[in-house]
């Protein structure tokens, strides 16, 4: 009886020590799930999800505080990928966070810009160049289309322009053929 | 002609060749068109920078677009004339989208730039490559890849140079005619390339359905008497003219995924490219024209030497398309595409224009479900499994499609040709490739945005901190000055430091005094500043100016006096 108990106890102590050592030796810095969720998010940093940027939203999802359908720029496909990653069911984008739009970039009407720098301060990815009392302009290749620069503009000279199809970004479409009609 | 062993590639098909329509007709020069449209866009990753503007006169061979980026080559004016515009115009692209083009109105004089032969024997390899880039030399087989890049020997060096005279697609005969008529200059170009790359032998691969071309090339090789040049007739089997397929047939080397011919000491050039390189080196002529075949549903099919930029619409009367033609194909019937616009110009990739009629090219039959017969896998020259790829591409399961090596697909169309369910498999593979590339681009854009966002956050944080530090230092300095002033006063013997004042370890009244002193000092500073900026143009005036001021004041007073009765009482 005593031998049995002491053997079990010894086993427990040894295993406990091994686990304790492993938890220190193989410790993972940060939460890998957050990284994975963040990699799926589109990085527009638009805040439409209700969090200040994509990473905070990723953290909220991993803590279970936010749902997976709050990211309109990621679209339905983004929700699907998140559902796959987290093993949840797909759900439609929540209407209160906005709807999926075609990718667009901000364009500043350079004639009306008064050089107030408010949009520069609002841009989360530093895609607007300009200085006080100088005309501002958007670097289109860096713009994520988050629309955060639109409301601060005091003269309403920023509008969103959908990206046009050019020979550079054109790609073959999904083939659609008529099926054979039954006579 | 050599009798050495040939190898063979897996798969392949034997579509009806239709080459007789135009193979017997000699190359004729096309007349000068009324205008030339020269696209500055060269491939998906390179667009030349325009060097001319509307209204400018250009000479034949003058560079009008500068090469920018590694995959770019220079763009030239194909004839002398007047630049009408630099604007967006339709280009031969399956999308029918427009691209930036230089539009030239020829003056008919054909005035050349100064042509100087290039001494490649006394130039460094880098200099030769730059020269070929500035001559606009690209692969003329249809892929338009810049030749100067292909002439850069990799780590393995280039031992074998292959001249591709396969021309395996049905209908096309431009390379056939070029080899029959200008064999010596093609081989001359190949010998120049051999000198540049240091290759030891040259293999010329020609499909055996072009015996005249094989004969002409063999005769030219023996006339030139060059060592190590062998001409091989390879079995006519589509796509024997594919680069990897021809390398396999001639050398037995199978190029694996992600590798190029140069990794194995082999490099392959189209015969037209060799001809263009010969002209560039021996005459100094940039690539301004190419041979193309006009065939299909035409009354007088033939082969023509056409200036790059000639609108296809102006070219068609040369071959006289029959009235029942409903669309035109650029390239062959296997890999070509329907031209969305006939105002698109001939580009360096345009090897053939086929007039298509419903009788000749019936509309694609409706596709039926895949029955998993595996016929496509038997003919695939890239040794893929097209039916597997098809399922994954169709289901938009792109990761799986990539696992099944969709990027190894050369889009030759063999699978779709043999499919009993008439599924247009290549369309699915093109879709999958485009989609994967687009996602790759989106992913890298998202990563860049994340990096910029994180850097911005870091920067705002740092700026906030720096501002706080600056402010703290300023306050501390101000307090120290006050404290020093206080110490100078007779009452205090031991002057408290700014730190002690700040931490309020000093007695309360003293702290209050210090604050008051600080405020006083700030007020004084403000007053001094105000005094400094107040205008003092009334100081140091001459007597004359004073008199003038007095006069003006008097006049003003008078005006005020006169205005008074009219002003409303409440003013």
């Amino acid at each position: 009886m005593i031998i049995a108990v002491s053997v079990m106890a010894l086993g427990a102590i040894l295993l406990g020590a091994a686990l304790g050592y492993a938890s220190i030796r193989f410790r993972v810095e940060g939460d890998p799930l957050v990284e994975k969720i963040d990699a799926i998010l589109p990085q527009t940093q638009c805040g439409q999800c209700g969090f200040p940027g994509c990473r905070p939203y990723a953290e909220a999802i991993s803590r279970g505080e936010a749902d997976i359908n709050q990211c309109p720029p990621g679209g339905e496909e983004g929700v699907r990928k998140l559902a796959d990653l987290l093993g949840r069911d797909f759900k439609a984008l929540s209407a209160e966070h906005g709807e999926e739009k075609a990718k667009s970039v901000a364009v500043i009407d350079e004639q009306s810009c008064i050089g107030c720098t408010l949009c520069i301060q609002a841009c989360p990815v530093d895609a607007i160049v300009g200085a006080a009392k100088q005309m501002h302009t958007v670097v289109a290749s860096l713009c994520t289309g988050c629309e955060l620069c639109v409301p601060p503009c005091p003269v309403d000279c920023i509008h969103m322009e959908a990206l046009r199809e050019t020979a550079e970004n054109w790609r073959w479409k999904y083939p659609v053929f008529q099926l054979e009609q039954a006579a | 002609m050599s009798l050495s062993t040939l190898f063979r590639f897996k798969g392949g098909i034997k579509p009806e060749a239709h080459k007789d329509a135009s193979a017997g007709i000699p190359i004729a020069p096309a007349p000068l068109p009324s205008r030339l449209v020269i696209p500055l866009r060269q491939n998906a990753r390179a667009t030349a920078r325009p060097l001319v503007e509307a209204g400018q006169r250009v000479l034949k061979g003058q560079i009008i677009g500068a090469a920018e980026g590694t995959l770019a080559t220079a763009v030239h004016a194909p004839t002398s004339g007047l630049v009408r515009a630099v604007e967006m115009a339709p280009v031969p692209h399956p999308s029918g989208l427009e691209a930036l083009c230089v539009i030239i109105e020829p003056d008919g004089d054909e005035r050349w730039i100064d042509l100087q032969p290039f001494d490649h024997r006394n130039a460094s390899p880098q200099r030769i490559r730059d020269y070929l880039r500035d001559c606009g030399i690209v692969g003329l087989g249809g892929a338009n890849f810049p030749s100067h890049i292909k002439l850069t020997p990799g780590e393995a060096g280039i031992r074998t140079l292959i001249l591709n005279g396969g021309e395996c697609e049905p209908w096309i005969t431009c390379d056939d005619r070029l080899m029959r008529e200008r064999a010596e200059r093609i081989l001359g170009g190949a010998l120049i390339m051999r000198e540049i790359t240091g290759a030891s032998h040259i293999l010329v691969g020609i499909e055996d359905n072009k015996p005249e071309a094989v004969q002409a090339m063999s005769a030219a090789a023996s006339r030139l008497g060059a060592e190590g040049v062998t001409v091989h007739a390879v079995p006519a089997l589509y796509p024997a003219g594919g680069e990897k397929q021809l390398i396999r047939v001639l050398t037995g080397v199978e190029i694996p995924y992600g590798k190029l011919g140069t990794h194995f000491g082999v490099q392959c050039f189209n015969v037209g490219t060799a001809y263009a390189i010969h002209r560039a080196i021996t005459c100094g002529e940039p690539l301004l024209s190419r041979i193309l075949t006009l065939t299909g549903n035409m009354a007088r099919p033939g082969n023509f030497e056409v200036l790059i930029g000639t609108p296809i619409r102006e070219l068609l009367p040369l071959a006289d398309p029959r009235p029942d033609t409903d669309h035109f194909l650029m390239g062959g019937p296997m890999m070509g595409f329907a031209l969305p616009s006939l105002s698109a110009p001939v580009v360096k990739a345009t090897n053939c224009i086929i007039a298509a009629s419903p009788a000749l090219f019936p509309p694609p039959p409706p596709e039926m479900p895949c029955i998993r017969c595996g016929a496509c896998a038997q003919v695939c020259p890239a040794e893929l499994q097209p039916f597997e790829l098809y399922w994954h591409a169709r289901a938009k399961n792109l990761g799986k499609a990539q696992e099944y090596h969709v990027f190894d697909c050369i889009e030759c169309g063999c699978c779709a040709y043999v499919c009993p369910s008439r599924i247009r498999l290549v369309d699915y593979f093109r879709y999958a490739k485009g989609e994967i590339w687009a996602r790759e681009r989106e992913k890298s854009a998202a990563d860049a945005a994340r990096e910029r966002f994180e850097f911005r956050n870091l920067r705002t944080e740092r700026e906030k901190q720096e501002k706080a530090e600056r402010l703290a230092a300023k306050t501390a300095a101000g307090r120290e000055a006050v404290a020093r002033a206080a110490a100078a006063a007779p009452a205090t013997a031991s002057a408290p430091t700014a730190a002690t004042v700040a931490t309020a370890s000093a007695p309360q009244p003293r702290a209050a005094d210090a604050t008051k002193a600080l405020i006083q000092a700030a007020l004084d500073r403000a007053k001094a500043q105000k005094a400094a900026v107040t205008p003092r143009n009334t100081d140091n005036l001459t007597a004359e100016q004073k008199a003038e001021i007095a006069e003006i004041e008097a006049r003003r007073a008078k005006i005020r006096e006169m205005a008074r009765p009219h002003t409303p009482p409440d003013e």
Side-chain angles (χ1 to χ4, degrees):
Chain A
M1 168 70 183
I2 290 172
I3 292 174
V5 169
S6 52
V7 163
M8 292 307 284
L10 192 69
I13 289 165
L14 281 177
L15 287 174
L19 280 173
Y21 171 76
S23 75
I24 295 162
R25 177 72 183 75
F26 303 111
R27 192 183 154 79
V28 179
E29 284 301 330
D31 190 350
L33 186 61
V34 173
E35 297 294 330
K36 282 184 198 160
I37 297 172
D38 197 36
I40 291 173
L41 297 176
Q43 305 302 323
T44 45
Q45 320 293 354
C46 61
Q48 289 183 72
C49 50
F51 295 90
C54 296
R55 205 181 164 83
Y57 178 44
E59 282 161 6
I61 294 178
S62 80
R63 285 195 305 267
E65 289 167 14
D67 215 338
I68 55 171
N69 62 350
Q70 301 182 3
C71 178
E76 212 166 272
E77 203 191 312
V79 181
R80 257 178 228 289
K81 280 188 190 162
L82 285 175
D84 268 358
L85 176 70
L86 302 168
R88 297 200 207 158
D89 282 339
F90 168 79
K91 47 170 86 171
L93 271 177
S94 90
E96 59 173 306
H97 293 100
E99 54 194 26
E100 192 177 350
K101 289 182 202 161
K103 177 147 172 40
S104 54
V105 292
V107 178
I108 293 179
D109 175 14
E110 294 168 354
Q111 297 297 318
S112 354
C113 173
I114 54 167
C116 68
T117 75
L118 286 177
C119 57
I120 297 183
Q121 292 161 37
C123 179
V125 292
D126 287 337
I128 304 180
V129 285
K133 294 186 185 170
Q134 308 287 323
M135 181 194 82
H136 304 341
T137 196
V138 177
V139 182
S141 59
L142 300 179
C143 178
T144 62
C146 66
E147 304 188 10
L148 287 180
C149 54
V150 178
C153 181
V155 289
D156 281 339
C157 72
I158 307 179
H159 64 277
M160 303 304 293
E161 234 170 55
L163 277 186
R164 269 190 315 142
E165 195 169 49
T166 65
E168 267 64 45
N169 63 20
W170 178 85
R171 51 187 201 247
W172 291 93
K173 302 287 174 288
Y174 186 74
V176 181
F177 303 119
Q178 249 188 336
L179 289 174
E180 199 155 21
Q181 298 281 316
Chain B
M1 202 169 134
S2 154
L3 292 171
S4 62
T5 345
L6 289 179
F7 302 83
R8 58 162 294 150
F9 63 92
K10 198 191 142 282
I13 54 169
K14 286 188 177 174
E16 211 181 316
H18 292 290
K19 302 230 183 208
D20 296 340
S22 56
I25 297 153
I27 299 168
L32 206 58
S34 64
R35 61 180 220 149
L36 289 157
V37 182
I38 305 109
L40 292 168
R41 179 182 187 272
Q42 295 159 322
N43 53 51
R45 282 185 284 171
T47 297
R49 177 167 48 87
L51 294 177
V52 291
E53 49 191 36
Q56 192 176 332
R57 293 220 156 260
V58 289
L59 294 175
K60 183 167 184 162
Q62 185 179 332
I63 296 185
I64 55 173
E68 271 192 350
T70 47
L71 281 184
T73 51
V75 178
H76 302 78
T79 184
S80 59
L82 184 68
V83 177
R84 274 278 167 228
V86 180
E87 61 182 19
M88 301 299 274
V91 290
H93 192 266
S95 65
L97 287 165
E98 298 190 333
L100 193 63
C101 296
V102 176
I103 291 156
I104 295 177
E105 193 181 285
D107 56 13
D109 297 343
E110 299 271 314
R111 271 176 300 125
W112 273 93
I113 47 164
D114 272 341
L115 292 182
Q116 295 286 340
F118 184 80
D119 183 8
H120 65 278
R121 290 197 177 88
N122 294 318
S124 67
Q126 184 56 45
R127 177 82 194 79
I128 298 170
R129 285 196 288 273
D130 286 352
Y131 175 75
L132 291 177
R133 184 196 64 204
D134 293 339
C135 279
I137 309 285
V138 296
L140 294 178
N144 255 3
F145 194 81
S147 301
H148 65 276
I149 298 173
K150 284 175 87 175
L151 284 169
T152 313
E155 278 166 25
I158 296 175
R159 292 187 304 277
T160 311
L161 216 56
I162 290 180
L163 273 196
N164 187 345
E167 200 169 53
C168 51
E169 275 229 39
W171 294 102
I172 310 177
T173 57
C174 59
D175 287 351
D176 184 7
R177 283 314 307 186
L178 188 73
M179 287 188 284
R180 288 197 210 180
E181 295 178 29
R182 302 174 193 179
E184 251 170 69
R185 280 185 273 176
I186 295 171
L187 285 178
L191 293 175
I192 290 169
M193 285 194 275
R194 181 161 79 171
E195 282 178 40
I196 296 171
T197 56
S200 53
H201 38 276
I202 298 172
L203 305 177
V204 185
I206 304 169
E207 275 199 347
D208 57 11
N209 59 4
K210 292 183 266 295
E212 294 91 344
V214 175
Q215 208 155 26
M217 290 295 277
S218 306
S222 54
R223 266 203 305 283
L224 287 172
E227 289 286 308
V229 181
T230 46
V231 180
H232 300 266
V234 301
L237 180 69
Y238 180 83
E243 185 174 28
K244 287 187 174 177
Q245 283 68 35
L246 190 64
I247 290 174
R248 178 103 180 250
V249 169
L250 290 177
T251 66
V253 173
E254 183 180 349
I255 297 167
Y257 173 71
K259 297 270 181 172
L260 297 168
T262 38
H263 291 114
F264 301 90
V266 190
Q267 193 58 287
C268 184
F269 290 91
N270 176 264
V271 287
T273 317
Y275 175 71
I277 287 178
H278 183 259
R279 268 168 89 151
I281 299 278
T282 59
C283 320
E285 270 181 45
L287 179 52
L288 304 183
S289 62
R290 69 154 299 141
I291 318 289
L292 66 80
T293 306
L294 293 179
T295 186
N297 192 34
M298 306 247 198
R300 287 175 283 123
N303 304 286
F304 298 89
E305 185 156 14
V306 182
L307 291 180
I308 305 300
T310 306
I312 288 164
R313 194 190 306 281
E314 292 200 28
L315 208 56
L316 294 175
L318 293 175
D320 207 2
R322 295 203 177 93
D324 60 335
T325 302
D326 59 353
H327 65 284
F328 291 88
L329 301 175
M330 183 179 123
M334 301 295 293
M335 295 183 68
F337 58 90
L339 280 168
S341 157
L342 286 184
S343 38
V346 167
V347 291
K348 289 172 184 171
T350 315
N351 48 8
C352 184
I353 308 274
I354 302 177
S357 65
L360 214 50
F361 293 93
E367 64 176 61
M368 291 185 294
C370 172
I371 55 168
R372 309 179 189 199
C373 62
C376 49
Q378 281 167 15
V379 296
C380 180
E383 298 181 39
L384 300 172
Q385 295 188 322
F387 56 97
E388 295 264 12
L389 279 173
Y390 160 68
W391 297 330
H392 296 312
R394 196 182 142 115
K396 303 189 185 180
N397 198 346
L398 300 174
K400 271 277 192 230
Q402 220 168 343
E403 264 174 48
Y404 279 86
H405 302 296
V406 69
F407 281 107
D408 268 356
C409 168
I410 57 169
E411 300 177 22
C412 63
C414 290
C415 48
Y417 184 84
V418 297
C419 180
S421 288
R422 302 173 295 198
I423 299 168
R424 296 207 274 171
L425 290 134
V426 180
D427 289 5
Y428 288 94
F429 305 154
R430 283 175 174 158
Y431 157 77
K433 285 183 185 179
E435 204 61 25
I436 292 169
W437 276 119
R439 288 191 190 187
E440 210 63 39
R441 276 201 299 272
E442 265 167 34
K443 183 104 191 62
S444 59
D447 287 344
R450 180 189 298 123
E451 210 168 285
R452 293 179 72 80
F453 177 64
E454 277 166 9
F455 175 72
R456 186 189 132 91
N457 285 351
L458 190 89
R459 197 193 63 220
T460 17
E461 209 47 49
R462 195 186 60 206
E463 273 169 8
K464 218 185 267 172
Q465 201 181 337
E466 279 173 0
K467 202 171 172 187
E469 273 168 17
R470 259 203 319 275
L471 207 67
K474 213 171 163 187
T475 352
R479 289 197 169 145
E480 205 172 337
V482 170
R484 219 174 285 133
T492 40
S494 61
T497 61
T500 50
V501 172
T503 49
S505 64
Q508 276 307 319
R510 183 167 289 169
D513 281 352
T515 316
K516 234 179 242 173
L518 263 178
I519 293 168
Q520 191 53 47
L523 283 174
D524 287 347
R525 262 203 315 279
K527 206 183 266 178
Q529 228 163 33
K530 202 172 172 192
V533 296
T534 315
R536 296 177 199 215
N537 55 358
T538 50
D539 297 348
N540 310 322
L541 292 177
T542 60
E544 210 176 297
Q545 281 169 323
K546 275 181 189 157
E548 201 177 337
I549 290 169
E551 195 184 311
I552 293 166
E553 285 297 329
R555 204 165 56 229
R556 280 185 185 155
K558 208 192 259 172
I559 291 166
R560 271 201 291 275
E561 201 61 41
M562 279 161 66
R564 191 157 294 158
H566 303 292
T567 47
D570 56 30
E571 259 193 31

